[in-house]
Amino acid sequence: MGESRQAGRLYVVGTPIGNLGDLSPRAAEAFRACDAVCCEDTRVTGKLLNYLGISKPLVRCDENVISQRAPELVDHLLTGETIAFASDAGMPSVSDPGQVLVDAAREAGVDVEVVPGPSACVTALVASGIPCEHFFFEGFLPRKHGERVRRLRELAPIPGALLFYESPHRVEASLEAIAQVFPQRVVALCRELTKLHEEVLRDAAPALLERVRERDELRGEMVLVVAPPAADELERMRTFVAVEADEDPNAALERAVRAALEAGEPASVIAKRLSQQYSRRKREVYDLVLRLQ
């Protein structure tokens, strides 16, 4: 890195999610102006810089190392160097590394300039045609089915669209959980956004799941957009909460155990979670789980 004594600056640069034509002139200028570029994968960002005809030192800063490297990078910024940070695609920090470095730079009093760029979640939301006055971005759902179902149930009352990132080998499993929890809601699967083979599949959750099962393997990074709850669904959830509040504690615990078993949670996980939630001994809950299995 250089020895410039000018005021240091951290550029946080949004990059294309597929179509290189979406790279902004400001993003190109930030790459030209910096002393080094921090990135997730030096090969990916190296290709982008080659496209621009720019040569800069590349520093790997993926999620595995960014926390360890942030203090050293801030030291370089404090000596007057300018650093650009870019993820492989889209806006850094949005389900990607970056926030750790931004936080450390701001704590040290370093100027941080965000250069906006494409974002897969917002692009998918608009492309889906699903009402987007309000939305909630979750990122990736948990890997295990029971945990996915539980998380979706926690998100159910949110009065807006739900957005999830997903990979090709997990998308069917995620759609299974979404169809289980939201059988009446419309879901859009958006893939290869801004690329030649961009595709948006949209249908009721169970129907979309069947369409995906009938297809050959889908490729490319994906975004799932789940429609907001309809008025009748929200009313059912409010009624359920009201009934639950007046329910006998033992009956409530049994109902929660049955729901967790139906979602496929392991007995030990159910016992640990519900013993804390209902202030019971873990062994007592575990015995109940075994009786109801």
Side-chain angles (χ1 to χ4, degrees), residues 81-226:
E81 295 190 6
T82 297
I83 295 175
F85 181 89
S87 59
D88 286 349
M91 285 300 298
S93 302
V94 182
S95 204
D96 271 316
Q99 204 61 41
V100 171
L101 182 55
V102 172
D103 182 50
R106 290 203 178 279
E107 284 291 324
V110 173
D111 288 339
V112 177
E113 183 174 332
V114 177
V115 181
S119 173
C121 61
V122 175
T123 303
L125 179 60
V126 175
S128 73
I130 287 173
C132 56
E133 289 83 2
H134 307 284
F135 64 91
F136 181 90
F137 174 66
E138 171 73 1
F140 289 90
L141 284 166
R143 292 182 177 275
K144 295 183 178 179
H145 179 75
E147 294 174 3
R148 275 196 298 267
V149 169
R150 184 168 70 248
R151 181 55 182 159
L152 288 168
R153 286 175 174 159
E154 292 171 349
L155 298 173
I158 293 175
L162 304 176
L163 280 73
F164 307 97
Y165 282 165
E166 200 46 272
S167 60
H169 67 279
R170 289 186 10 169
V171 68
E172 184 176 324
S174 288
L175 284 173
E176 287 177 356
I178 290 170
Q180 177 180 336
V181 179
F182 304 130
Q184 303 302 320
R185 295 200 200 181
V186 171
V187 179
L189 186 159
C190 308
R191 69 181 193 91
E192 297 286 79
L193 291 168
T194 76
K195 298 180 183 178
L196 179 62
H197 299 293
E198 176 177 315
E199 182 178 34
V200 177
L201 303 175
R202 179 175 134 159
D203 215 325
L208 181 60
L209 173 59
E210 290 307 311
R211 289 173 64 183
V212 169
R213 283 173 171 167
E214 292 170 358
R215 292 276 298 267
D216 293 333
E217 181 183 2
L218 297 176
R219 297 183 179 182
E221 297 303 310
M222 304 175 190
V223 184
L224 298 173
V225 184
V226 180

Side-chain angles (χ1 to χ4, degrees), residues 270-280 282 285:
I270 297 172
K272 180 178 180 180
R273 177 171 64 85
L274 294 183
S275 63
Q276 296 171 348
Q277 182 177 342
Y278 287 88
S279 300
R280 302 292 185 92
K282 184 177 177 181
V285 178

